Amino acid sequence: MSPLAFVFMLIAAIIILTVLTLKFKMHPVMVLFITATFCGIASGKSLVDTFSSITSYFGSTLGSIGVMIIFGAVIAAGISDTGAATSMVNFFIRLFKGKRLELAPALTGFIMSIPVFGDIAIILNAPISAILAKRKKMSMTQVAPFVNLGLTLTHGLVPPTPGILAVSVLLGADIGTVILWGLVCSVISFAVCYFVLTPIYSKCEYIEPLASYTEGIEAVEDTSSVDALLIKEENTPKAAASFLPLLLPAVMIAVGSIGKLLVSEGSGAYTFFNTFGNTVLALFCGIIAVGMLIFGRKKKVVDKANVDGNGCKVSEKSSWFEIVMNNWVGRALNIAISALLITAMGGAMGGILRENEAIQTIGNAIAATNFPAILVPFLLAAILMTVCGSMTTASMTAAGLMAALVPVLGMSPVVAALAIGAGSMVGWHVNNSGFWIFTSLYGFDTKQGLKYFTTTNSLGGIVAFAVLAVLTMVGLVA
């Protein structure tokens, strides 16, 4: 296939993605399957060969990230049942002495969204954000955009969140290094956006917290009283214990990656760091850590676990293993199945695209010009996100195209993965399911959602990309 024909095929694929998603309201799994089939046939493969390739790439993607996605969902179930989310929010309220209250749910979401799916973190943070806004007499415009930004930054840039994790695996990027520099880009981007937008949003319209979350909650007259601002929930874990299940996996993976750079391959130390930083092991340790929070609050955990209704019924007589390894895992599988299938089918479509020999020719043409190579993955992800509406779909499709381009353009897989993650934040709007979850749970209408969420996320992605570009230019990220 000629490069021009490939470009036309890609445009047609984007149109198919968009129409099937927006017009026919099809599930992303089927949208990706149909689009991948079109790309395979358009590339000259037979229907049978196309299906064979889709099946192969689907399976390899699922095999590389499936266990990690499920383990992340188990951690989310534990965070929800034990009250750890409330404890984290209260930690930040105390840290800032009741000031800058909007940072409490925003930073909680920032950390929570590292191993936990974005949609779950949105739901867990919604009532907390509303209660804090009501107590401090704040408009939701001062709270919700930064909660959304915190969630989206780590969702897009920091593994083991499914999208960026799968992109890193597909591109062959070291996951620990992606975590490290993804966190750097995310933290700086959040800080820049927060200090730029806070004065603006504080003067905007007043959006009242949803009454369903704030019934019986009164505004605090003495807002200097930190205790009066705290979220009230009985028997929550200590802050350090609450953060541990979320931070431990990221720390283990990052330490393993850094350690391997400092020792000789094949040595005992290398074997230790390689094992210590294994992603599956790290997330399993996160499950054990969140499971430890059951002790001392078993009745509370059992009550919350049964309210969900998706897992096996448990009681106070149930063992630790029954709660964690049965109820939580069962609920996690219900949560994870959609992310698993979307990510795997995204990998299948990416595989079909990167088989096309025209990508090599296009890469050589780009490399022969003065066009900045780092812009290619960023723009691909941003365009795909704008038209198809799914961060995972946009990221996986962009990664499929970049897999063949990375060596041609002389790019680091880490840089390409993070540029894709930053680009996937741009164009977060009405064709994204998270947009509707966020607007409905945080009390915004469509126009307000576009005004406060779409613009904030886009700015966050652009700033994160600018940080990445500077780090690359000075040679820190390679």
Side-chain angles (χ1 to χ4, degrees), residues 357-389:
E357 68 281 357
I359 294 181
Q360 185 85 12
T361 307
I362 292 171
N364 290 330
I366 295 173
T369 68
N370 292 323
F371 190 82
I374 194 173
L375 274 172
V376 177
F378 175 78
L379 292 175
L380 276 174
I383 292 168
L384 288 164
M385 177 62 192
T386 301
V387 298
C388 75

Side-chain angles (χ1 to χ4, degrees), residues 189-203:
S189 176
F190 183 88
V192 169
C193 293
Y194 176 75
F195 286 111
V196 168
L197 295 175
T198 295
I200 298 171
Y201 289 164
S202 64
K203 297 174 183 177

Side-chain angles (χ1 to χ4, degrees), residues 73-86 88 112 116 120 123-124 233 237 246 290 293 300-301 304-305 308 328 331 335:
V74 176
I75 293 172
I79 292 293
S80 174
D81 289 356
T82 58
T86 299
M88 287 185 276
M112 192 184 300
V116 173
I120 300 170
I123 294 167
L124 290 175
E233 183 177 336
L246 301 174
V290 77
L293 301 182
K300 170 183 178 175
V301 171
K304 283 195 171 185
D308 184 280
W328 286 1
R331 288 158 58 197
I335 294 167

